[in-house]
Amino acid sequence: MEAVKSFLKKEPVLVISGLLAAASAFLVPPSAEYLSYIDLRTLGILFCLMAAVAGLTDAGLFALLVRKLSAGVGTVRKLCLLLTGACFLFSMFITNDVALLTFVPLTIALLAGEGQRTLILAVVSETIAANLGSALTPFGNPQNLFLYSRYGMGLGEFFRVTGPICLLGFLLTFGGLLLARPENAPLALPGGAGEERPFSGRRAAFFAALFLLSLLAVLRLLDWRLAFAATVLLLALFARPIFRRVDYSLLLTFVFFFILVGNLSRIPAVSSWISSLLAGREAAVSALVSQAISNVPAALMLAEFTGNWQGLLAGTNIGGLGTLVASMASLISFRLYARAEGAKPGRYFAVFSLYNFLYLAVLLAAWQLILKGVSL
């Protein structure tokens, strides 16, 4: 029973998506048509990206970069700005959750003696930065990869939507952090702070090559099936342990939502209602839905019912702000903080909610009034 409770607590989105997919099967009986629901391209590329990033982490590349970045930082304020900037930049390439798993533990170690106000402000800023930075690229987060693949958009078209959002998000994140005025006291670096994972140049080069294969597949410069086959073969020959580091629960969650959405689209009344609800309101509706089920499932659910990919892309990225569950990456940083010595989860939640809902409102208003016209 304890194992079941632990699984439910760890994988709530997977469980809920599985139950919804099973329930939809009663409305649309299983058939061979179910296979047409599954977007194999998205799943294959996502597997390749996760494997490559897991390998780069295992090779110690990110730990090395963390140590290099933090070396020579003289004040608490500079460190907060540096780590927030690192989350913003790195999330564009290694996804928001990996960026937070890399930098938040370091932040907690380095700022442990600087007081909860400073630590909370730093972790909240890093979380917002990771969610908004990852919005820029097709491979920054799973919903971007899915939408980029599903709608067959060009890279320039994609950046016309995400670029302005990312730029405004950058200004909001760093403007808010500077206005909050983190302490400018000298920083005393604790011994052994951060992850001392040894760096292997050969392994890093190997997984960097796999990452490049993934990017070529994302950009449609290489057939995704070739990239997937090459990744699986090379991992099997030279890095089998990495297979265990892939987030298969996320892949299975995608499958469940593909089934759910595929079945809903075959029910005329439901399909018509969702389509009419979205019409002209894609950004607002997708951002709102993200607050309850997170932005990745929101993108998977709503893409079937609209051709306005600009609004959906904007809404699901902006919708990563707001509640703790709006982006799974936000839950990751909250859990890491909550386990820290002296943590004040209630205070963290209050600060997180204040900044997130404020930036959510500003970005949604900016999209409706300004950015939508820029992207078209």
Side-chain angles (χ1 to χ4, degrees), residues 112-136:
E114 303 298 335
Q116 288 301 310
R117 177 187 180 276
T118 299
L119 180 57
I120 289 173
L121 180 62
V123 175
V124 168
S125 296
E126 289 170 21
T127 304
I128 294 172
N131 283 326
L132 290 173
S134 66
L136 181 65

Side-chain angles (χ1 to χ4, degrees), residues 4 7 16 36 43 64 110 161 195 201 205-206 213 227 233 252 256 341 369:
V4 174
F7 180 78
I16 293 171
S36 67
L43 295 177
L64 174 66
L110 294 177
V161 173
E195 183 184 7
F206 172 79
L213 280 179
L233 178 61
L252 188 56
F256 286 149
E341 184 177 353
L369 298 175

